[in-house]
mmCIF file of all heavy atoms in Angstrom:
data_model
loop_
_atom_site.group_PDB
_atom_site.id
_atom_site.type_symbol
_atom_site.label_atom_id
_atom_site.label_comp_id
_atom_site.label_asym_id
_atom_site.label_seq_id
_atom_site.Cartn_x
_atom_site.Cartn_y
_atom_site.Cartn_z
ATOM 1 N N GLY A 900 0.774 -1.244 0.007
ATOM 2 C CA GLY A 900 -0.032 -0.003 -0.011
ATOM 3 C C GLY A 900 0.767 1.285 -0.003
ATOM 4 O O GLY A 900 0.357 2.316 0.431
ATOM 5 N N VAL A 901 2.062 1.152 -0.518
ATOM 6 C CA VAL A 901 2.932 2.361 -0.558
ATOM 7 C C VAL A 901 3.442 2.492 -1.959
ATOM 8 O O VAL A 901 3.564 1.532 -2.704
ATOM 9 C CB VAL A 901 4.095 2.262 0.459
ATOM 10 C CG1 VAL A 901 3.581 2.262 1.903
ATOM 11 C CG2 VAL A 901 4.946 1.080 0.260
ATOM 12 N N THR A 902 3.937 3.686 -2.279
ATOM 13 C CA THR A 902 4.741 3.878 -3.469
ATOM 14 C C THR A 902 6.067 4.309 -3.029
ATOM 15 O O THR A 902 6.284 5.237 -2.247
ATOM 16 C CB THR A 902 4.034 5.018 -4.326
ATOM 17 O OG1 THR A 902 2.745 4.617 -4.703
ATOM 18 C CG2 THR A 902 4.944 5.302 -5.548
ATOM 19 N N VAL A 903 7.072 3.529 -3.559
ATOM 20 C CA VAL A 903 8.467 3.814 -3.231
ATOM 21 C C VAL A 903 9.122 4.404 -4.513
ATOM 22 O O VAL A 903 8.592 4.380 -5.603
ATOM 23 C CB VAL A 903 9.207 2.489 -2.781
ATOM 24 C CG1 VAL A 903 8.694 2.010 -1.450
ATOM 25 C CG2 VAL A 903 9.064 1.389 -3.873
ATOM 26 N N ARG A 904 10.346 4.987 -4.343
ATOM 27 C CA ARG A 904 11.045 5.600 -5.407
ATOM 28 C C ARG A 904 12.498 5.073 -5.503
ATOM 29 O O ARG A 904 13.396 5.668 -5.021
ATOM 30 C CB ARG A 904 11.038 7.111 -5.147
ATOM 31 C CG ARG A 904 9.559 7.646 -5.105
ATOM 32 C CD ARG A 904 9.254 8.984 -5.531
ATOM 33 N NE ARG A 904 10.085 9.629 -6.550
ATOM 34 C CZ ARG A 904 9.806 9.649 -7.848
ATOM 35 N NH1 ARG A 904 8.757 8.983 -8.316
ATOM 36 N NH2 ARG A 904 10.554 10.284 -8.661
ATOM 37 N N PRO A 905 12.659 3.815 -6.130
ATOM 38 C CA PRO A 905 13.926 3.273 -6.220
ATOM 39 C C PRO A 905 14.759 4.043 -7.261
ATOM 40 O O PRO A 905 14.277 4.697 -8.107
ATOM 41 C CB PRO A 905 13.680 1.867 -6.746
ATOM 42 C CG PRO A 905 12.374 1.948 -7.365
ATOM 43 C CD PRO A 905 11.574 3.007 -6.623
ATOM 44 N N ALA A 906 16.095 3.980 -7.025
ATOM 45 C CA ALA A 906 17.121 4.636 -7.949
ATOM 46 C C ALA A 906 18.425 3.888 -7.826
ATOM 47 O O ALA A 906 18.631 3.109 -6.892
ATOM 48 C CB ALA A 906 17.235 6.076 -7.489
ATOM 49 N N VAL A 907 19.313 4.245 -8.744
ATOM 50 C CA VAL A 907 20.645 3.710 -8.658
ATOM 51 C C VAL A 907 21.654 4.776 -8.935
ATOM 52 O O VAL A 907 21.455 5.649 -9.795
ATOM 53 C CB VAL A 907 20.883 2.537 -9.690
ATOM 54 C CG1 VAL A 907 20.690 3.025 -11.141
ATOM 55 C CG2 VAL A 907 22.270 1.851 -9.501
ATOM 56 N N SER A 908 22.672 4.860 -8.110
ATOM 57 C CA SER A 908 23.776 5.799 -8.306
ATOM 58 C C SER A 908 24.952 4.982 -8.866
ATOM 59 O O SER A 908 25.168 3.799 -8.498
ATOM 60 C CB SER A 908 24.253 6.444 -7.017
ATOM 61 O OG SER A 908 23.282 7.282 -6.501
ATOM 62 N N VAL A 909 25.627 5.531 -9.868
ATOM 63 C CA VAL A 909 26.791 4.793 -10.487
ATOM 64 C C VAL A 909 28.063 5.467 -10.079
ATOM 65 O O VAL A 909 28.159 6.688 -10.006
ATOM 66 C CB VAL A 909 26.614 4.779 -12.058
ATOM 67 C CG1 VAL A 909 26.538 6.172 -12.606
ATOM 68 C CG2 VAL A 909 27.740 3.959 -12.714
ATOM 69 N N VAL A 910 29.029 4.638 -9.812
ATOM 70 C CA VAL A 910 30.378 5.096 -9.409
ATOM 71 C C VAL A 910 31.301 4.830 -10.589
ATOM 72 O O VAL A 910 31.404 3.655 -11.005
ATOM 73 C CB VAL A 910 30.871 4.396 -8.115
ATOM 74 C CG1 VAL A 910 32.300 4.879 -7.769
ATOM 75 C CG2 VAL A 910 29.894 4.585 -6.979
ATOM 76 N N TYR A 911 31.852 5.824 -11.117
ATOM 77 C CA TYR A 911 32.749 5.711 -12.227
ATOM 78 C C TYR A 911 34.293 5.784 -11.847
ATOM 79 O O TYR A 911 34.567 6.620 -11.003
ATOM 80 C CB TYR A 911 32.597 6.869 -13.212
ATOM 81 C CG TYR A 911 31.328 6.892 -14.039
ATOM 82 C CD1 TYR A 911 30.188 7.560 -13.600
ATOM 83 C CD2 TYR A 911 31.238 6.254 -15.253
ATOM 84 C CE1 TYR A 911 29.045 7.596 -14.343
ATOM 85 C CE2 TYR A 911 30.085 6.264 -16.041
ATOM 86 C CZ TYR A 911 28.969 6.927 -15.568
ATOM 87 O OH TYR A 911 27.822 6.980 -16.284
ATOM 88 N N GLY A 912 35.052 4.887 -12.321
ATOM 89 C CA GLY A 912 36.519 4.944 -12.290
ATOM 90 C C GLY A 912 36.943 5.486 -13.641
ATOM 91 O O GLY A 912 36.202 5.425 -14.623
ATOM 92 N N ALA A 913 38.137 6.046 -13.707
ATOM 93 C CA ALA A 913 38.575 6.638 -14.964
ATOM 94 C C ALA A 913 40.057 6.540 -15.164
ATOM 95 O O ALA A 913 40.828 6.345 -14.172
ATOM 96 C CB ALA A 913 38.115 8.114 -15.015
ATOM 97 N N ARG A 914 40.445 6.719 -16.449
ATOM 98 C CA ARG A 914 41.801 6.883 -16.774
ATOM 99 C C ARG A 914 41.924 7.998 -17.772
ATOM 100 O O ARG A 914 40.924 8.352 -18.423
ATOM 101 C CB ARG A 914 42.464 5.558 -17.346
ATOM 102 C CG ARG A 914 41.842 5.080 -18.638
ATOM 103 C CD ARG A 914 42.448 3.819 -19.030
ATOM 104 N NE ARG A 914 42.119 3.468 -20.450
ATOM 105 C CZ ARG A 914 42.850 2.751 -21.232
ATOM 106 N NH1 ARG A 914 43.956 2.195 -20.786
ATOM 107 N NH2 ARG A 914 42.481 2.537 -22.483
ATOM 108 N N PHE A 915 43.110 8.533 -17.921
ATOM 109 C CA PHE A 915 43.269 9.710 -18.855
ATOM 110 C C PHE A 915 44.625 9.683 -19.528
ATOM 111 O O PHE A 915 45.559 8.976 -19.125
ATOM 112 C CB PHE A 915 43.083 10.967 -18.077
ATOM 113 C CG PHE A 915 44.251 11.379 -17.211
ATOM 114 C CD1 PHE A 915 45.194 12.257 -17.633
ATOM 115 C CD2 PHE A 915 44.372 10.800 -15.938
ATOM 116 C CE1 PHE A 915 46.293 12.642 -16.798
ATOM 117 C CE2 PHE A 915 45.410 11.161 -15.118
ATOM 118 C CZ PHE A 915 46.407 12.026 -15.529
ATOM 119 N N ARG A 916 44.691 10.445 -20.623
ATOM 120 C CA ARG A 916 45.987 10.697 -21.239
ATOM 121 C C ARG A 916 45.994 12.121 -21.742
ATOM 122 O O ARG A 916 44.943 12.686 -22.177
ATOM 123 C CB ARG A 916 46.346 9.681 -22.301
ATOM 124 C CG ARG A 916 45.479 9.662 -23.503
ATOM 125 C CD ARG A 916 45.870 8.579 -24.444
ATOM 126 N NE ARG A 916 44.975 8.511 -25.598
ATOM 127 C CZ ARG A 916 45.129 7.626 -26.583
ATOM 128 N NH1 ARG A 916 46.146 6.776 -26.550
ATOM 129 N NH2 ARG A 916 44.310 7.591 -27.620
ATOM 130 N N VAL A 917 47.206 12.625 -21.830
ATOM 131 C CA VAL A 917 47.369 14.064 -22.275
ATOM 132 C C VAL A 917 48.090 14.016 -23.673
ATOM 133 O O VAL A 917 49.140 13.356 -23.756
ATOM 134 C CB VAL A 917 48.192 14.883 -21.248
ATOM 135 C CG1 VAL A 917 48.396 16.275 -21.768
ATOM 136 C CG2 VAL A 917 47.512 14.842 -19.918
ATOM 137 N N GLY A 918 47.486 14.669 -24.669
ATOM 138 C CA GLY A 918 48.120 14.794 -25.950
ATOM 139 C C GLY A 918 48.449 13.474 -26.621
ATOM 140 O O GLY A 918 49.470 13.389 -27.260
ATOM 141 N N GLY A 919 47.603 12.443 -26.372
ATOM 142 C CA GLY A 919 47.866 11.114 -27.021
ATOM 143 C C GLY A 919 48.950 10.345 -26.327
ATOM 144 O O GLY A 919 49.390 9.301 -26.867
ATOM 145 N N GLY A 920 49.407 10.738 -25.147
ATOM 146 C CA GLY A 920 50.435 10.032 -24.393
ATOM 147 C C GLY A 920 49.983 8.737 -23.767
ATOM 148 O O GLY A 920 48.905 8.219 -24.097
ATOM 149 N N ALA A 921 50.688 8.244 -22.802
ATOM 150 C CA ALA A 921 50.387 7.059 -22.064
ATOM 151 C C ALA A 921 49.182 7.269 -21.159
ATOM 152 O O ALA A 921 48.987 8.374 -20.631
ATOM 153 C CB ALA A 921 51.594 6.564 -21.259
ATOM 154 N N TRP A 922 48.398 6.198 -21.007
ATOM 155 C CA TRP A 922 47.195 6.264 -20.119
ATOM 156 C C TRP A 922 47.685 6.201 -18.658
ATOM 157 O O TRP A 922 48.583 5.489 -18.326
ATOM 158 C CB TRP A 922 46.302 5.069 -20.413
ATOM 159 C CG TRP A 922 45.531 5.217 -21.665
ATOM 160 C CD1 TRP A 922 45.859 4.621 -22.888
ATOM 161 C CD2 TRP A 922 44.381 5.981 -21.969
ATOM 162 N NE1 TRP A 922 44.951 4.938 -23.847
ATOM 163 C CE2 TRP A 922 44.013 5.793 -23.331
ATOM 164 C CE3 TRP A 922 43.572 6.868 -21.180
ATOM 165 C CZ2 TRP A 922 42.940 6.463 -23.924
ATOM 166 C CZ3 TRP A 922 42.530 7.468 -21.711
ATOM 167 C CH2 TRP A 922 42.172 7.301 -23.127
ATOM 168 N N GLN A 923 46.968 6.986 -17.873
ATOM 169 C CA GLN A 923 47.246 7.048 -16.400
ATOM 170 C C GLN A 923 45.831 6.890 -15.734
ATOM 171 O O GLN A 923 44.826 7.397 -16.140
ATOM 172 C CB GLN A 923 47.796 8.388 -16.008
ATOM 173 C CG GLN A 923 49.123 8.727 -16.676
ATOM 174 C CD GLN A 923 49.556 10.125 -16.190
ATOM 175 O OE1 GLN A 923 49.686 10.330 -15.040
ATOM 176 N NE2 GLN A 923 49.790 11.001 -17.104
ATOM 177 N N ASP A 924 45.895 6.165 -14.554
ATOM 178 C CA ASP A 924 44.615 6.011 -13.765
ATOM 179 C C ASP A 924 44.397 7.299 -13.031
ATOM 180 O O ASP A 924 45.308 8.011 -12.521
ATOM 181 C CB ASP A 924 44.750 4.894 -12.810
ATOM 182 C CG ASP A 924 44.772 3.518 -13.483
ATOM 183 O OD1 ASP A 924 44.149 3.452 -14.621
ATOM 184 O OD2 ASP A 924 45.340 2.587 -12.987
ATOM 185 N N VAL A 925 43.087 7.629 -12.911
ATOM 186 C CA VAL A 925 42.619 8.753 -12.033
ATOM 187 C C VAL A 925 42.468 8.172 -10.641
ATOM 188 O O VAL A 925 41.787 7.119 -10.473
ATOM 189 C CB VAL A 925 41.283 9.317 -12.562
ATOM 190 C CG1 VAL A 925 40.705 10.359 -11.592
ATOM 191 C CG2 VAL A 925 41.505 9.915 -13.923
ATOM 192 N N ASP A 926 43.096 8.796 -9.650
ATOM 193 C CA ASP A 926 42.952 8.430 -8.276
ATOM 194 C C ASP A 926 41.572 8.915 -7.781
ATOM 195 O O ASP A 926 41.353 10.136 -7.827
ATOM 196 C CB ASP A 926 44.027 8.934 -7.411
ATOM 197 C CG ASP A 926 45.399 8.418 -7.808
ATOM 198 O OD1 ASP A 926 45.473 7.261 -8.291
ATOM 199 O OD2 ASP A 926 46.366 9.167 -7.704
ATOM 200 N N GLY A 927 40.720 8.069 -7.337
ATOM 201 C CA GLY A 927 39.379 8.477 -6.843
ATOM 202 C C GLY A 927 38.364 8.147 -7.909
ATOM 203 O O GLY A 927 38.607 7.598 -8.995
ATOM 204 N N THR A 928 37.105 8.428 -7.510
ATOM 205 C CA THR A 928 35.941 8.076 -8.328
ATOM 206 C C THR A 928 34.994 9.268 -8.380
ATOM 207 O O THR A 928 35.093 10.190 -7.657
ATOM 208 C CB THR A 928 35.160 6.840 -7.756
ATOM 209 O OG1 THR A 928 34.769 7.151 -6.451
ATOM 210 C CG2 THR A 928 36.088 5.618 -7.774
ATOM 211 N N VAL A 929 34.076 9.133 -9.339
ATOM 212 C CA VAL A 929 33.012 10.135 -9.477
ATOM 213 C C VAL A 929 31.674 9.381 -9.345
ATOM 214 O O VAL A 929 31.436 8.377 -10.030
ATOM 215 C CB VAL A 929 33.051 10.831 -10.894
ATOM 216 C CG1 VAL A 929 31.879 11.795 -11.037
ATOM 217 C CG2 VAL A 929 34.383 11.489 -11.062
ATOM 218 N N THR A 930 30.831 9.794 -8.368
ATOM 219 C CA THR A 930 29.512 9.154 -8.153
ATOM 220 C C THR A 930 28.410 10.061 -8.694
ATOM 221 O O THR A 930 28.389 11.257 -8.362
ATOM 222 C CB THR A 930 29.328 8.882 -6.645
ATOM 223 O OG1 THR A 930 30.351 8.115 -6.147
ATOM 224 C CG2 THR A 930 28.009 8.269 -6.371
ATOM 225 N N ILE A 931 27.593 9.470 -9.510
ATOM 226 C CA ILE A 931 26.462 10.240 -10.157
ATOM 227 C C ILE A 931 25.190 9.545 -9.724
ATOM 228 O O ILE A 931 24.898 8.378 -10.083
ATOM 229 C CB ILE A 931 26.642 10.206 -11.679
ATOM 230 C CG1 ILE A 931 28.014 10.765 -12.138
ATOM 231 C CG2 ILE A 931 25.431 10.984 -12.314
ATOM 232 C CD1 ILE A 931 28.199 12.215 -11.796
ATOM 233 N N PRO A 932 24.315 10.274 -8.985
ATOM 234 C CA PRO A 932 23.038 9.741 -8.618
ATOM 235 C C PRO A 932 22.075 9.668 -9.804
ATOM 236 O O PRO A 932 22.069 10.556 -10.642
ATOM 237 C CB PRO A 932 22.460 10.688 -7.551
ATOM 238 C CG PRO A 932 23.249 11.928 -7.747
ATOM 239 C CD PRO A 932 24.541 11.548 -8.405
ATOM 240 N N GLY A 933 21.279 8.584 -9.910
ATOM 241 C CA GLY A 933 20.343 8.485 -11.044
ATOM 242 C C GLY A 933 18.973 8.911 -10.586
ATOM 243 O O GLY A 933 18.668 9.037 -9.385
ATOM 244 N N PRO A 934 18.087 9.145 -11.501
ATOM 245 C CA PRO A 934 16.773 9.620 -11.228
ATOM 246 C C PRO A 934 15.877 8.463 -10.597
ATOM 247 O O PRO A 934 16.066 7.274 -10.968
ATOM 248 C CB PRO A 934 16.174 9.995 -12.551
ATOM 249 C CG PRO A 934 16.906 9.243 -13.550
ATOM 250 C CD PRO A 934 18.331 9.040 -12.975
ATOM 251 N N ALA A 935 15.107 8.791 -9.606
ATOM 252 C CA ALA A 935 14.210 7.835 -9.024
ATOM 253 C C ALA A 935 12.907 7.604 -9.913
ATOM 254 O O ALA A 935 12.560 8.567 -10.601
ATOM 255 C CB ALA A 935 13.821 8.271 -7.620
ATOM 256 N N GLN A 936 12.338 6.457 -9.764
ATOM 257 C CA GLN A 936 11.052 6.157 -10.432
ATOM 258 C C GLN A 936 10.092 5.678 -9.496
ATOM 259 O O GLN A 936 10.439 4.998 -8.494
ATOM 260 C CB GLN A 936 11.277 5.250 -11.618
ATOM 261 C CG GLN A 936 11.476 3.841 -11.249
ATOM 262 C CD GLN A 936 11.436 2.930 -12.481
ATOM 263 O OE1 GLN A 936 11.984 3.256 -13.481
ATOM 264 N NE2 GLN A 936 10.732 1.826 -12.398
#
């Protein structure tokens, strides 16, 4: 008898390179909350 609002947040890991050089890991993550339904 209730309406709930589930959602998912995604945690991204990343790597980067500058000017086409070697890939390096990014220390830390980025968390993005998703919309509830």
Side-chain angles (χ1 to χ4, degrees):
V901 297
T902 297
V903 293
R904 301 209 28 94
V907 63
S908 293
V909 60
V910 179
Y911 288 93
R914 67 183 192 153
F915 74 98
R916 67 182 176 179
V917 179
W922 288 101
Q923 301 176 56
D924 289 332
V925 172
D926 297 326
T928 59
V929 177
T930 301
I931 305 295
Q936 75 170 45

